[in-house]
């Protein structure tokens, strides 16, 4: 009797060996182009497709060089993940050790920075190359619990031969991404791994819940920092004339006067003191403060004729938008979701409704609340350059798209299967 992907997941909980055999048959058939006894889970099948397009060898255990001890130390000291290590350890380590798992924490580039847990399992992980300083990006070592969550942006469990590289088929892992609540950017992945016999269907939910606790801790830390900045801002704004606000280094607002409250001000990647042109506010005076900036608006915000918007998608996951015009220029790095939404608007000048965007991104036109929330965040930095009902770039703006040379999908997790092929 044929098994569905859900059946295999349930089977793995009671008969690990049989589930592993079934998945090995699925993997072998998929790689040889034969008919598969069952379809892999969508998240796994999509990852395998990326590996085949990227040329990852399923029979070769490729390992890039480890980071030096000095580089590992530097990354640990500068990573935001350092702030939530106590949360991760408290939530995962004690249970992982007893259950013969290890806990792995990697940065946004897939580099393993911390690794703790059962000593025998740590030795087995060494044999797989899952060591401190190792590169576990999906495009390097294939489908896995560190690299795949980083690509998909959601928790992923990878069991047995769901791993693309054959040598990893004796392993099971469950990983969840950790994002910075200040800007939504990926800062790392936490993963719980171990031999096949340690597999449990609840592991993924456990890891995901702890990752969310870590993000909540980062939000609490951010709120406290804004409160401290607010005490500095109050006397300054009391003396300020006109429109002014105090923001932290990331543009989050601590206090405002003479203008409507805005949760966040879009700042250039590299901001310095002096007269600057900022989205929404226009020409501003920027003055440094301890932990932030005092910003005084000099003129009213307008969408200027002759504005040029360049959406740069040439380098994977290093996407950006640059705006230039008579009032100056600025650039901002984009999250994968914001890059995808702006691309969808750029290739259809007439615009798209919230439902159409939800259909393209999620395959579900009903997810308009999510789309509207994301577009609200986009408007914080593009402001008057975006219209809505439907969402579109303003007619006064000239929009250019810079695409990568290879016609691979721009956004592998997108339901719309967007490609970088010319003539889209």
């Amino acid at each position: 009797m044929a098994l569905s992907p859900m059946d295999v997941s349930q089977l793995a909980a009671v008969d690990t060996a049989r589930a592993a055999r079934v998945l090995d048959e699925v993997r072998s058939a998929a790689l040889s182009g034969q008919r598969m006894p069952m379809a892999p889970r969508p998240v796994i099948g999509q990852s395998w497709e990326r590996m085949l397009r990227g040329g990852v060898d399923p029979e070769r255990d490729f390992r890039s060089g480890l980071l030096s001890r000095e580089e590992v130390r530097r990354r640990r000291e500068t990573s935001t993940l350092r702030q939530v290590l106590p949360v991760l350890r408290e939530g995962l380590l004690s249970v992982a050790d007893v259950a013969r798992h290890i806990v792995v924490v990697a940065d946004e580039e897939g580099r393993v920075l911390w690794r703790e847990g059962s000593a025998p399992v740590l030795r087995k992980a060494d044999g797989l190359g899952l060591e401190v300083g190792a590169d576990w990006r999906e495009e390097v070592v294939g489908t896995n619990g560190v690299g795949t969550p980083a690509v998909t942006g959601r928790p992923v469990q990878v069991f047995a031969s769901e791993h693309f590289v054959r040598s990893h088929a004796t392993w099971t892992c469950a990983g969840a991404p950790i994002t910075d609540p200040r800007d939504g950017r990926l800062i790392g992945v936490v993963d719980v791994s171990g031999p096949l016999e340690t597999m449990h269907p609840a592991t993924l939910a456990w890891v995901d819940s702890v990752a969310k606790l870590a993000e909540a801790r980062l939000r609490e830390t951010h709120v406290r920092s804004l409160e401290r900045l607010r005490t500095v801002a109050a006397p300054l704004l009391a003396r300020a004339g006109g429109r002014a606000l105090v923001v932290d280094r990331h543009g989050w607002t601590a206090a405002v006067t003479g203008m409507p409250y805005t949760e966040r001000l879009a700042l250039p990647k590299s901001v310095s003191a002096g007269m600057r042109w900022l989205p929404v506010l226009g020409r501003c005076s920027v003055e440094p403060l301890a932990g932030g900036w005092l910003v005084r608006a000099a003129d009213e915000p307008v969408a200027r004729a002759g504005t040029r918007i360049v959406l740069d998608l040439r380098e994977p996951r290093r996407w950006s938008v640059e705006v230039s015009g008579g009032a100056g220029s600025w650039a901002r790095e984009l999250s994968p979701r914001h890059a995808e939404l702006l691309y969808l608007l750029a290739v259809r000048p007439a615009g798209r409704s919230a439902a159409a965007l939800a259909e393209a991104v999620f395959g579900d036109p009903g997810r308009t609340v999510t789309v509207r929330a994301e577009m609200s965040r986009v408007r914080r930095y593009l402001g008057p350059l975006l219209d809505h009902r439907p969402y579109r770039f303003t007619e006064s703006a000239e929009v250019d798209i810079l695409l990568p040379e290879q016609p691979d999908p721009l956004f592998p997790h997108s339901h719309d299967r967007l490609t970088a092929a010319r003539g889209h």
Side-chain angles (χ1 to χ4, degrees), residues 35-306:
R35 182 176 181 180
M36 293 182 287
M38 54 167 277
R41 292 186 293 134
V43 67
I44 299 300
Q46 291 163 12
S47 176
W48 288 357
E49 290 176 6
R50 292 194 294 272
M51 299 308 93
L52 291 169
R53 288 196 304 268
V56 176
D57 189 341
E59 304 301 326
R60 182 187 175 202
D61 184 3
F62 177 80
R63 304 180 189 182
S64 62
L66 298 177
L67 296 177
S68 66
R69 290 184 179 180
E70 293 74 17
E71 178 61 13
V72 169
R73 185 182 305 112
R74 186 194 69 80
R75 291 193 182 209
R76 285 176 172 178
E77 291 173 351
T78 58
S79 175
T80 307
L81 291 168
R82 188 181 188 88
Q83 301 177 30
V84 295
L85 274 181
V87 176
L88 300 178
R89 285 177 170 137
E90 181 179 354
L92 298 173
L93 197 53
S94 60
V95 178
D97 198 14
V98 172
R100 292 183 298 142
H101 287 105
I102 61 171
V103 177
V104 175
V105 180
D107 65 15
E108 72 277 11
E109 294 181 357
R111 289 288 187 169
V112 177
L113 297 186
W114 291 275
R115 194 192 68 155
E116 301 177 52
S118 167
V121 179
L122 286 171
R123 288 193 290 271
K124 290 183 179 180
D126 289 340
L128 295 173
L130 189 54
E131 307 171 72
V132 171
D135 186 349
W136 271 65
R137 287 175 297 165
E138 191 186 61
E139 61 263 36
V140 174
V141 298
T143 309
N144 71 88
V146 174
T148 302
V151 171
T152 63
R154 65 179 188 266
V156 179
Q157 188 163 34
V158 185
F159 172 68
S161 290
E162 288 183 326
H163 289 89
F164 187 75
V165 176
R166 183 177 296 279
S167 61
H168 299 163
T170 60
W171 203 248
T172 181
C173 50
I178 300 175
T179 58
D180 190 330
R182 294 171 298 186
D183 55 18
R185 292 185 181 280
L186 177 74
I187 58 175
V189 173
V190 60
D191 166 85
V192 169
S193 292
L196 285 188
E197 60 269 20
T198 66
M199 187 271 178
H200 192 283
T203 302
L204 184 63
W206 169 44
V207 174
D208 185 35
S209 66
V210 174
K212 285 183 169 57
L213 284 175
E215 292 176 344
R217 177 65 57 84
L218 291 174
R219 279 191 292 273
E220 293 170 2
T221 301
H222 181 222
V223 169
R224 287 196 298 270
S225 70
L226 284 179
E227 290 173 349
R228 290 193 297 269
L229 184 57
R230 193 169 292 120
T231 62
V232 176
L236 292 173
L237 293 182
R239 298 190 299 267
R243 297 181 300 136
L245 68 166
V246 170
V247 298
D248 70 6
R249 296 294 183 185
H250 299 273
W252 289 93
T253 302
V256 62
T257 186
M259 58 182 290
Y261 176 82
T262 179
E263 187 177 33
R264 190 180 185 193
L265 179 65
L267 296 176
K269 184 177 180 180
S270 298
V271 63
S272 58
M275 295 303 297
R276 300 286 179 265
W277 188 86
L278 299 179
V280 181
L281 286 179
R283 189 165 170 266
C284 299
S285 167
V286 179
E287 304 171 32
L289 298 175
W293 303 95
L294 170 61
V295 181
R296 304 173 191 263
D299 52 28
E300 291 296 322
V302 292
R304 303 177 185 274

